[in-house]
Amino acid sequence: MEQKYIPKSSLKAWLAKVKDGGKQIYAPVTEGGKTSFRRVKSVDDISMEHVQTAQSAKGVAFPRTEKLFSYAMQPGGVALQDYDSANIPHTVVFGLHPCDAAAFKPLSGIFGWDTGDKPFGERMQRVTLVSLSCSKCDELCFCTSVDGSPGSAVGSDILLTAVGSEGYLVEIVTDRGRALTEPHAALFEAAPDVNKEELLAHVPVRFSVGAVERSLAGAFESDVWKQQSARCLGCGACAFVCPACACFDIQENPKGSASGDRIRCWDSCGFSLFTLHTSGHNPRSVQSQRWRQRLLHKFSYMPRRLSVRGCTGCGRCSRACPVDMNLWEHLSELENLKN
Amino acid sequence: MSDNIYLPYLVTIEKITQEAPGVRTLRLKFNDEALARSFEFKAGQFGEYSAFGEGESTFCIASSPTRKGYIECTFREAGRVTSALAKLEEGQTMGFRGPYGNTFPLDEWRGKNLLFVAGGIALPPMRCVIWNALDTRGSFGDVSILYGAKTVADLVYKHELKEWDERPDVRLVTTVDPGGETPEWKGEVGFVPAVLEKMNPSAENTIAIVCGPPVMIKFTFPVLDKLGFAPENIYTTLENRMKCGVGKCGRCNVGDKYVCKDGPVFSRAQLEALPAEF
Ligand SMILES: Cc1cc2nc3c(=O)[nH]c(=O)nc-3n(C[C@H](O)[C@H](O)[C@H](O)COP(=O)(O)OP(=O)(O)OC[C@H]3O[C@@H](n4cnc5c(N)ncnc54)[C@H](O)[C@@H]3O)c2cc1C
Ligand code: SF4
Ligand code: SF4
Ligand code: FES
């Protein structure tokens, strides 16, 4: 992997040039005490100091709501206007952490298996991921327990790692990453001789994911789901903040009676309406069944069907949960489950 | 053709048949002539039907793949989208995405007897297989159909029931729940499982296809056990709530099986291996 160094003083110049070159920058911005990914107007607005944004970066490829096509009633029929990819911006996602970059793999697994998903595919084609290694973490992070690390380059096109307070080690991972650095080579310097491990946060390994996944194979009928989910409100916040959750609803968004859009929007397997039949029958009628679905989907079904896990250990679900469900604690409990 | 899997084909309603109170069949023709000629599907598959302005609903394709040039769906007015579809008139435009899902393995059933057991509105997925089998009648042995509904008025496909009844190569038994009969009713009176037991069909070289409300299925399986049907020779379809139909939206799974991709057709042997999540 090609390595370079960029002084802090040149970083903003680089991003400004990237932006002037026609790409949008989607990066963490702190507003009202909350750090979220935004399309930034000025690169001065980018926040680099947070542990984790409230929302992940997945919206760049899987927006919270997205138009799938439009319809219009006409004399003698209906006219459809197909999804239009012409206006999707070329975007550099800057400053996402390795757990968020890694999450595009499970998303791509879900949207790309069997048949392609045009809206997701078209957006992904226009995305370059410039990630930032974590020099800080908190007690809810557990990337190292799910094959990640605070300095993992997996999924990124470029990975930056802060070297002191003066600049960044730049690892150029893919051709897409190279296309972003090469035209501005003058801004980059030779990579310093540093031990990258020493520059990273220390995220303890909280559990053995292999043991968890082996336990889950026989855990469908276990009482553990009831115990763990007794306080879960079914609010769905965990799914909405998750970088790897992809469940969606398809809804009509009429604009008057004669035209409108078919849209899709984020949904959550934690909601009681998610699987409700019109007849009133619900295959997952209680919260414990929905909690079980969330964990089995991520740690059993996805590995089996798509060869990718649906969790990268970002800890967002635990931070967002109004009743303090701690995912890695729950997973640790499953590790020792006696079926 | 679009590479957007969510963009429906436009179809025109050619014919509406009011089957029973709140149940109608729509015959749909693809607006695109080339598609109308090339569209293919197999028995058991389903689609997403659009009422533009209201949304999509999941129904099986109720017509047989042997009948070319159109598809049919039969649906019950249940909620928002089905009510909107029920308001459409002949000549109006709606949308269709599909065909989706797996199929009944008719090729594997060649030379076998077929026993159809259906209850209520669940005849549509079976009607597709029945006509498929009858249109290729030589490929199968005996064809028996047991169909039950709450009341005589609730029986769907009445004209076709008459046609099947009159065919010498089909054994048709119809039944209505006790209290659902009329003075003129000549069929059976009783619940489907009990009537099946009375029918006493042979399990020898026979495939049983069972579709109906969960309670009917629950009480029909033990009867089939008693009659000697092996779980591998019993088939049914699952109806989990769906949105995408293509294995992405994440709501139709039963354990690690996606009803929209791995189903909706399952053998009883396959169902027994699944967790109770349907
Ligand atoms: C494989 C398969 C095959 C089927 N085949 C047939 C068939 O052949 N014939 C048949 O009659 N039925 C069939 N069904 C059942 C059929 O799909 C449902 O009866 C039908 O979709 C009900 O739709 P509705 O819009 O009228 O109901 P509604 O309950 O009104 O739902 C319409 C939509 O509105 C939204 N919605 C409604 N209520 C809420 C709410 N409270 N909160 C949030 N959103 C809401 C949802 O997006 C929902 O999808 C089949 C189902 C499956 C899965
Ligand atoms: S499940 Fe929780 S910890 Fe795992 S990726 Fe999603 S939000 Fe992050
Ligand atoms: S955020 Fe917490 S309370 Fe809300 S659905 Fe998730 S686990 Fe349950
Ligand atoms: S209907 Fe969307 S995954 Fe099956």
Side-chain angles (χ1 to χ4, degrees), chain B residues 256-267:
Chain B
D256 71 351
K257 295 282 179 280
Y258 280 69
V259 176
C260 68
K261 294 301 300 185
D262 307 307
V265 177
F266 292 92
S267 73

Side-chain angles (χ1 to χ4, degrees), chain A residues 249-252 273 276-279, chain B residues 23 44-49 54-62 73-84 121-125 157 237-243 251-252 259-260 263-264:
Chain A
D249 194 1
I250 298 177
Q251 287 282 350
E252 216 78 333
L273 295 177
L276 180 67
H277 293 206
T278 310
S279 64
Chain B
V23 180
Q45 291 191 289
F46 67 92
E48 293 293 334
Y49 299 75
E54 290 297 340
E56 285 182 317
S57 237
T58 315
F59 312 130
C60 69
I61 305 178
C73 64
T74 301
F75 64 93
R76 182 198 297 280
E77 262 181 76
R80 199 166 72 197
V81 178
T82 46
S83 301
I121 173 73
L123 193 56
Y157 306 132
T237 60
L238 290 186
E239 286 194 359
N240 277 32
R241 181 156 169 178
M242 296 184 179
K243 283 289 176 170
R251 80 189 58 228
C252 71
V259 176
C260 68

Side-chain angles (χ1 to χ4, degrees), chain B residues 73-277:
Chain B
C73 64
T74 301
F75 64 93
R76 182 198 297 280
E77 262 181 76
R80 199 166 72 197
V81 178
T82 46
S83 301
L85 288 172
K87 284 198 193 82
L88 295 177
E89 292 165 8
E90 287 176 4
Q92 285 195 298
T93 308
M94 51 183 268
F96 172 84
R97 293 194 287 129
Y100 295 143
N102 71 350
T103 67
F104 286 103
L106 277 160
D107 289 340
E108 289 171 27
W109 297 348
R110 278 172 181 279
K112 293 186 190 287
N113 307 316
L114 303 179
L115 168 68
F116 297 93
V117 183
I121 173 73
L123 193 56
M126 227 174 248
R127 176 209 192 211
C128 167
V129 199
I130 293 174
W131 279 120
N132 197 155
L134 295 182
D135 287 347
T136 53
R137 188 66 188 85
S139 303
F140 303 97
D142 296 342
V143 172
S144 315
I145 304 167
L146 166 58
Y147 173 46
K150 271 203 185 82
T151 70
V152 175
D154 288 320
L155 292 164
V156 298
Y157 306 132
K158 290 192 181 68
H159 46 296
E160 293 173 40
L161 292 174
K162 189 159 169 281
E163 199 176 330
W164 296 337
D165 196 29
E166 284 164 0
R167 280 178 75 132
D169 58 352
V170 176
R171 178 182 181 202
L172 174 75
V173 177
T174 48
T175 183
V176 294
D177 292 354
E181 68 270 30
T182 53
E184 302 80 41
W185 177 244
K186 293 201 182 56
E188 301 282 333
V189 176
F191 295 106
V192 166
V195 178
L196 176 64
E197 203 162 355
K198 209 171 110 188
M199 244 177 110
N200 194 27
S202 164
E204 175 85 34
N205 194 35
T206 304
I207 299 290
I209 302 110
V210 186
C211 293
V215 34
M216 185 207 96
I217 301 216
K218 188 174 158 207
F219 289 107
T220 300
F221 278 171
V223 176
L224 290 171
D225 282 343
K226 239 201 263 178
L227 293 167
F229 282 85
E232 298 76 35
N233 293 331
I234 304 175
Y235 284 81
T236 188
T237 60
L238 290 186
E239 286 194 359
N240 277 32
R241 181 156 169 178
M242 296 184 179
K243 283 289 176 170
C244 69
V246 290
K248 303 195 191 297
C249 76
R251 80 189 58 228
C252 71
N253 67 299
V254 176
D256 71 351
K257 295 282 179 280
Y258 280 69
V259 176
C260 68
K261 294 301 300 185
D262 307 307
V265 177
F266 292 92
S267 73
R268 188 173 171 208
Q270 288 169 323
L271 283 190
E272 280 171 350
L274 291 179
E277 211 176 17

